[in-house]
Protein backbone atom coordinates (compact mmCIF):
# COMPACT_ATOMS: atom_id res chain seq x y z
CA UNK A 1 0.00 0.00 0.00
CA UNK A 2 2.76 2.43 0.98
CA UNK A 3 4.74 1.55 -2.15
CA UNK A 4 1.70 2.23 -4.35
CA UNK A 5 1.04 5.60 -2.71
CA UNK A 6 4.70 6.57 -3.06
CA UNK A 7 4.69 5.55 -6.74
CA UNK A 8 1.59 7.54 -7.68
CA UNK A 9 2.64 10.61 -5.67
CA UNK A 10 6.34 10.84 -6.53
CA UNK A 11 7.58 8.10 -8.88
CA UNK A 12 5.03 8.05 -11.70
CA UNK A 13 6.68 8.88 -15.06
CA UNK A 14 4.35 11.85 -15.61
CA UNK A 15 5.57 13.34 -12.33
CA UNK A 16 9.27 12.53 -12.68
CA UNK A 17 9.53 13.79 -16.28
CA UNK A 18 7.40 16.92 -15.82
CA UNK A 19 8.75 20.13 -17.30
CA UNK A 20 7.14 23.60 -17.12
CA UNK A 21 6.79 24.68 -20.74
CA UNK A 22 4.93 27.53 -22.43
CA UNK A 23 4.04 25.22 -25.29
CA UNK A 24 3.12 22.03 -23.39
CA UNK A 25 1.75 23.15 -19.99
CA UNK A 26 -1.81 24.46 -20.00
CA UNK A 27 -2.11 27.99 -18.60
CA UNK A 28 1.64 28.57 -18.63
CA UNK A 29 1.81 31.80 -20.66
CA UNK A 30 1.86 35.35 -19.33
CA UNK A 31 -1.07 36.28 -21.56
CA UNK A 32 -3.18 33.49 -20.05
CA UNK A 33 -2.34 34.64 -16.53
CA UNK A 34 -3.17 38.30 -17.22
CA UNK A 35 -6.41 37.51 -19.09
CA UNK A 36 -7.63 35.01 -16.49
CA UNK A 37 -7.02 37.42 -13.60
CA UNK A 38 -8.72 40.25 -15.51
CA UNK A 39 -11.75 38.04 -16.28
CA UNK A 40 -11.96 36.96 -12.63
CA UNK A 41 -11.91 40.55 -11.39
CA UNK A 42 -14.37 41.72 -14.04
CA UNK A 43 -16.89 38.91 -13.49
CA UNK A 44 -16.72 39.26 -9.70
CA UNK A 45 -17.27 43.02 -9.85
CA UNK A 46 -20.03 42.70 -12.45
CA UNK A 47 -21.90 40.04 -10.46
CA UNK A 48 -21.65 42.14 -7.29
CA UNK A 49 -22.89 45.22 -9.14
CA UNK A 50 -25.86 43.38 -10.68
CA UNK A 51 -26.94 41.90 -7.36
CA UNK A 52 -26.53 45.26 -5.63
CA UNK A 53 -28.74 46.98 -8.23
CA UNK A 54 -31.47 44.41 -8.78
CA UNK A 55 -31.72 42.40 -5.55
CA UNK A 56 -33.34 44.02 -2.55
CA UNK A 57 -31.38 44.33 0.66
CA UNK A 58 -32.46 41.84 3.28
CA UNK A 59 -33.73 39.34 0.70
CA UNK A 60 -32.94 35.69 1.21
CA UNK A 61 -29.60 34.60 -0.30
CA UNK A 62 -29.43 32.06 -3.09
CA UNK A 63 -29.68 28.45 -1.78
CA UNK A 64 -26.15 27.35 -2.72
CA UNK A 65 -25.27 25.30 0.37
CA UNK A 66 -25.10 21.90 -1.44
CA UNK A 67 -22.89 23.40 -4.17
CA UNK A 68 -20.69 25.12 -1.59
CA UNK A 69 -20.39 21.90 0.40
CA UNK A 70 -19.35 19.97 -2.72
CA UNK A 71 -16.81 22.66 -3.64
CA UNK A 72 -15.38 22.65 -0.10
CA UNK A 73 -15.08 18.86 -0.10
CA UNK A 74 -13.33 18.84 -3.50
CA UNK A 75 -10.92 21.62 -2.45
CA UNK A 76 -10.12 19.85 0.83
CA UNK A 77 -9.34 16.60 -0.98
CA UNK A 78 -7.27 18.31 -3.70
CA UNK A 79 -5.31 20.26 -1.07
CA UNK A 80 -4.62 17.08 0.90
CA UNK A 81 -3.42 15.26 -2.24
CA UNK A 82 -1.12 18.16 -3.22
CA UNK A 83 0.26 18.28 0.33
CA UNK A 84 1.03 14.55 0.30
CA UNK A 85 2.37 14.71 -3.26
CA UNK A 86 4.82 17.53 -2.70
CA UNK A 87 5.89 16.07 0.67
CA UNK A 88 6.78 12.71 -0.92
CA UNK A 89 8.29 14.44 -3.95
CA UNK A 90 10.46 16.77 -1.87
CA UNK A 91 11.76 13.81 0.12
CA UNK A 92 12.62 11.98 -3.13
CA UNK A 93 14.31 15.05 -4.65
CA UNK A 94 16.38 15.63 -1.51
CA UNK A 95 17.46 12.00 -1.50
CA UNK A 96 18.48 12.04 -5.18
CA UNK A 97 20.13 15.48 -5.40
CA UNK A 98 21.73 15.78 -1.95
CA UNK A 99 25.15 14.92 -3.42
CA UNK A 100 25.04 18.18 -5.38
CA UNK A 101 24.36 20.61 -2.54
CA UNK A 102 25.00 18.76 0.76
CA UNK A 103 28.26 20.63 1.45
CA UNK A 104 26.51 24.00 1.44
CA UNK A 105 22.97 23.26 2.64
CA UNK A 106 20.91 21.08 4.92
CA UNK A 107 17.67 19.52 3.59
CA UNK A 108 15.62 22.17 5.39
CA UNK A 109 17.72 24.92 3.85
CA UNK A 110 17.11 23.34 0.42
CA UNK A 111 13.37 23.63 1.05
CA UNK A 112 13.82 27.36 1.62
CA UNK A 113 16.56 28.09 -0.90
CA UNK A 114 16.96 26.27 -4.22
CA UNK A 115 20.52 26.16 -5.61
CA UNK A 116 21.27 28.67 -8.36
CA UNK A 117 20.50 27.24 -11.79
CA UNK A 118 17.48 25.16 -10.67
CA UNK A 119 15.06 24.60 -13.55
CA UNK A 120 11.27 24.07 -13.32
CA UNK A 121 11.21 20.34 -13.97
CA UNK A 122 10.70 17.18 -11.98
CA UNK A 123 8.53 16.06 -9.10
CA UNK A 124 8.35 19.20 -6.99
CA UNK A 125 7.44 21.39 -9.94
CA UNK A 126 4.76 18.95 -11.07
CA UNK A 127 2.93 19.46 -7.79
CA UNK A 128 3.63 23.18 -7.93
CA UNK A 129 1.87 23.16 -11.32
CA UNK A 130 -1.11 21.25 -9.88
CA UNK A 131 -1.27 23.80 -7.07
CA UNK A 132 -1.26 26.62 -9.66
CA UNK A 133 -4.18 25.02 -11.51
CA UNK A 134 -6.09 24.52 -8.25
CA UNK A 135 -6.03 28.29 -7.70
CA UNK A 136 -8.59 28.70 -10.48
CA UNK A 137 -10.93 26.23 -8.81
CA UNK A 138 -10.41 28.10 -5.55
CA UNK A 139 -11.64 31.32 -7.22
CA UNK A 140 -15.15 29.87 -7.49
CA UNK A 141 -15.63 30.55 -3.79
CA UNK A 142 -15.67 34.29 -4.55
CA UNK A 143 -18.89 33.87 -6.53
CA UNK A 144 -20.46 31.80 -3.73
CA UNK A 145 -19.65 34.59 -1.27
CA UNK A 146 -21.18 37.23 -3.56
CA UNK A 147 -24.37 35.21 -4.11
CA UNK A 148 -24.81 34.38 -0.43
CA UNK A 149 -23.63 37.52 1.37
CA UNK A 150 -23.84 40.25 -1.31
CA UNK A 151 -20.32 41.20 -0.20
CA UNK A 152 -17.15 41.75 -2.20
CA UNK A 153 -14.02 43.01 -0.46
CA UNK A 154 -10.76 44.32 -1.92
CA UNK A 155 -8.89 41.91 0.34
CA UNK A 156 -10.75 38.89 -1.06
CA UNK A 157 -10.12 39.83 -4.69
CA UNK A 158 -6.51 40.87 -4.09
CA UNK A 159 -5.66 37.78 -2.05
CA UNK A 160 -7.00 35.33 -4.64
CA UNK A 161 -5.34 37.20 -7.50
CA UNK A 162 -2.00 37.46 -5.70
CA UNK A 163 -1.89 33.76 -4.80
CA UNK A 164 -2.53 32.85 -8.43
CA UNK A 165 0.17 35.24 -9.66
CA UNK A 166 2.67 33.99 -7.07
CA UNK A 167 2.06 30.33 -7.93
CA UNK A 168 2.74 31.22 -11.59
CA UNK A 169 5.98 32.99 -10.63
CA UNK A 170 7.11 29.97 -8.62
CA UNK A 171 7.06 27.91 -11.81
CA UNK A 172 8.23 30.57 -14.25
CA UNK A 173 11.36 31.46 -12.26
CA UNK A 174 11.95 28.23 -10.27
CA UNK A 175 11.52 30.36 -7.18
CA UNK A 176 12.96 29.34 -3.83
CA UNK A 177 10.62 28.84 -0.84
CA UNK A 178 7.78 27.42 -2.93
CA UNK A 179 7.96 23.91 -1.44
CA UNK A 180 7.33 25.10 2.11
CA UNK A 181 4.78 27.66 0.89
CA UNK A 182 2.77 24.93 -0.85
CA UNK A 183 3.08 22.59 2.14
CA UNK A 184 1.80 25.25 4.55
CA UNK A 185 -0.94 26.48 2.21
CA UNK A 186 -2.32 23.07 1.27
CA UNK A 187 -2.24 21.85 4.87
CA UNK A 188 -4.18 24.91 6.03
CA UNK A 189 -6.58 24.76 3.07
CA UNK A 190 -7.27 21.09 3.62
CA UNK A 191 -8.23 21.78 7.23
CA UNK A 192 -10.15 25.00 6.47
CA UNK A 193 -12.15 23.56 3.57
CA UNK A 194 -12.76 20.37 5.51
CA UNK A 195 -14.21 22.48 8.31
CA UNK A 196 -16.34 24.45 5.84
CA UNK A 197 -17.70 21.20 4.43
CA UNK A 198 -18.43 20.04 7.99
CA UNK A 199 -20.48 23.14 8.77
CA UNK A 200 -22.14 23.40 5.35
CA UNK A 201 -23.72 19.95 5.73
CA UNK A 202 -25.21 21.08 9.03
CA UNK A 203 -22.75 19.76 11.60
CA UNK A 204 -21.89 21.94 14.64
CA UNK A 205 -19.36 24.77 14.40
CA UNK A 206 -16.25 25.14 16.50
CA UNK A 207 -16.36 27.40 19.55
CA UNK A 208 -13.71 29.66 17.99
CA UNK A 209 -13.21 31.20 14.49
CA UNK A 210 -11.45 28.19 12.94
CA UNK A 211 -11.02 29.50 9.38
CA UNK A 212 -9.84 32.90 10.57
CA UNK A 213 -7.22 31.28 12.81
CA UNK A 214 -6.06 29.17 9.86
CA UNK A 215 -5.54 32.35 7.83
CA UNK A 216 -3.50 33.92 10.64
CA UNK A 217 -1.32 30.80 11.04
CA UNK A 218 -0.65 30.67 7.29
CA UNK A 219 0.32 34.34 7.04
CA UNK A 220 2.57 34.05 10.11
CA UNK A 221 4.40 31.01 8.67
CA UNK A 222 4.93 32.83 5.37
CA UNK A 223 6.49 35.83 7.13
CA UNK A 224 8.90 33.62 9.11
CA UNK A 225 9.93 31.67 6.00
CA UNK A 226 10.53 34.85 3.99
CA UNK A 227 13.00 35.98 6.66
CA UNK A 228 14.72 32.59 6.40
CA UNK A 229 15.03 32.86 2.60
CA UNK A 230 16.60 36.32 2.89
CA UNK A 231 19.16 35.09 5.45
CA UNK A 232 20.11 32.07 3.33
CA UNK A 233 20.41 34.20 0.20
CA UNK A 234 22.88 36.50 1.94
CA UNK A 235 24.81 33.85 3.86
CA UNK A 236 24.83 30.87 1.46
CA UNK A 237 25.76 32.52 -1.84
CA UNK A 238 22.34 33.08 -3.36
CA UNK A 239 18.97 31.43 -3.86
CA UNK A 240 17.39 30.69 -7.21
CA UNK A 241 14.59 32.98 -8.43
CA UNK A 242 15.36 35.71 -5.90
CA UNK A 243 13.90 38.43 -8.15
CA UNK A 244 10.53 36.67 -8.17
CA UNK A 245 10.90 36.11 -4.42
CA UNK A 246 11.25 39.88 -3.87
CA UNK A 247 8.01 40.50 -5.78
CA UNK A 248 6.42 37.63 -3.87
CA UNK A 249 7.47 39.24 -0.58
CA UNK A 250 6.04 42.62 -1.57
CA UNK A 251 2.72 41.08 -2.60
CA UNK A 252 2.62 39.02 0.61
CA UNK A 253 3.28 42.15 2.65
CA UNK A 254 0.44 44.03 0.94
CA UNK A 255 -1.86 41.04 1.42
CA UNK A 256 -0.98 40.90 5.13
CA UNK A 257 -1.71 44.63 5.57
CA UNK A 258 -5.04 44.29 3.75
CA UNK A 259 -5.91 41.28 5.88
CA UNK A 260 -5.20 43.14 9.11
CA UNK A 261 -7.15 46.18 7.90
CA UNK A 262 -10.07 44.00 6.79
CA UNK A 263 -10.04 42.09 10.07
CA UNK A 264 -10.02 45.24 12.23
CA UNK A 265 -12.78 46.92 10.20
CA UNK A 266 -14.92 43.78 10.13
CA UNK A 267 -14.63 43.26 13.89
CA UNK A 268 -16.09 46.72 14.34
CA UNK A 269 -18.96 46.15 11.91
CA UNK A 270 -19.85 42.46 12.19
CA UNK A 271 -19.48 39.45 14.49
CA UNK A 272 -16.70 36.94 13.90
CA UNK A 273 -19.14 34.50 12.28
CA UNK A 274 -19.80 36.98 9.49
CA UNK A 275 -16.09 37.71 9.01
CA UNK A 276 -15.34 34.04 8.45
CA UNK A 277 -17.97 33.80 5.70
CA UNK A 278 -16.15 36.20 3.41
CA UNK A 279 -12.63 34.81 3.88
Amino acid sequence: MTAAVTYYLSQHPSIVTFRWSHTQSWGSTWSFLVISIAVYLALSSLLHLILSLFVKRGSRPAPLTPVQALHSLIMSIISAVIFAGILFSAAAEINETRWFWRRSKTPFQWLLCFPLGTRPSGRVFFWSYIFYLSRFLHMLRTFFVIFQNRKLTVFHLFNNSVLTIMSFLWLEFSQSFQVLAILFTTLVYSAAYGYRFWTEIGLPRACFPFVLNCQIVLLSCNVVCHVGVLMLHVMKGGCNGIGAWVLNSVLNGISLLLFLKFHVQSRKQAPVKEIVKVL
Side-chain angles (χ1 to χ4, degrees), residues 88-225:
F88 277 84
S89 294
E93 289 290 339
I94 289 172
N95 185 53
E96 293 180 7
T97 64
R98 183 179 295 175
W99 62 270
F100 176 69
W101 45 262
R102 63 182 177 183
R103 292 184 179 180
S104 59
K105 289 183 175 69
T106 65
F108 180 73
Q109 289 173 341
W110 179 87
L111 293 174
L112 282 173
C113 179
F114 286 157
L116 295 175
T118 300
R119 297 187 176 183
S121 60
R123 302 176 180 89
V124 165
F125 290 97
F126 171 84
W127 289 109
S128 183
Y129 177 58
I130 299 301
F131 178 81
Y132 165 65
L133 296 181
S134 74
R135 296 305 312 163
F136 297 100
L137 185 59
H138 177 82
M139 287 179 177
L140 291 177
R141 180 165 176 81
T142 300
F143 301 101
F144 299 151
V145 170
I146 295 172
F147 270 116
Q148 287 241 300
N149 303 318
R150 311 286 192 264
K151 292 180 179 179
L152 183 63
T153 63
V154 173
F155 165 73
H156 193 93
L157 290 177
F158 182 84
N159 191 53
N160 282 336
S161 300
V162 162
L163 283 174
T164 305
I165 293 169
M166 288 193 304
S167 59
F168 178 88
L169 295 177
W170 292 345
L171 289 157
E172 186 69 12
F173 297 101
S174 304
Q175 184 193 310
S176 297
F177 166 63
Q178 63 178 283
V179 176
L180 285 180
I182 295 173
L183 283 172
F184 290 145
T185 303
T186 51
L187 179 61
V188 168
Y189 276 17
S190 180
Y193 274 107
Y195 173 75
R196 281 170 174 156
F197 172 74
W198 175 275
T199 58
E200 285 161 353
I201 62 175
L203 295 174
R205 295 177 177 272
C207 59
F208 60 93
F210 183 83
V211 176
L212 182 62
N213 286 349
C214 285
Q215 288 273 1
I216 294 172
V217 169
L218 179 59
L219 289 170
S220 301
C221 289
N222 281 339
V223 170
V224 173
C225 287

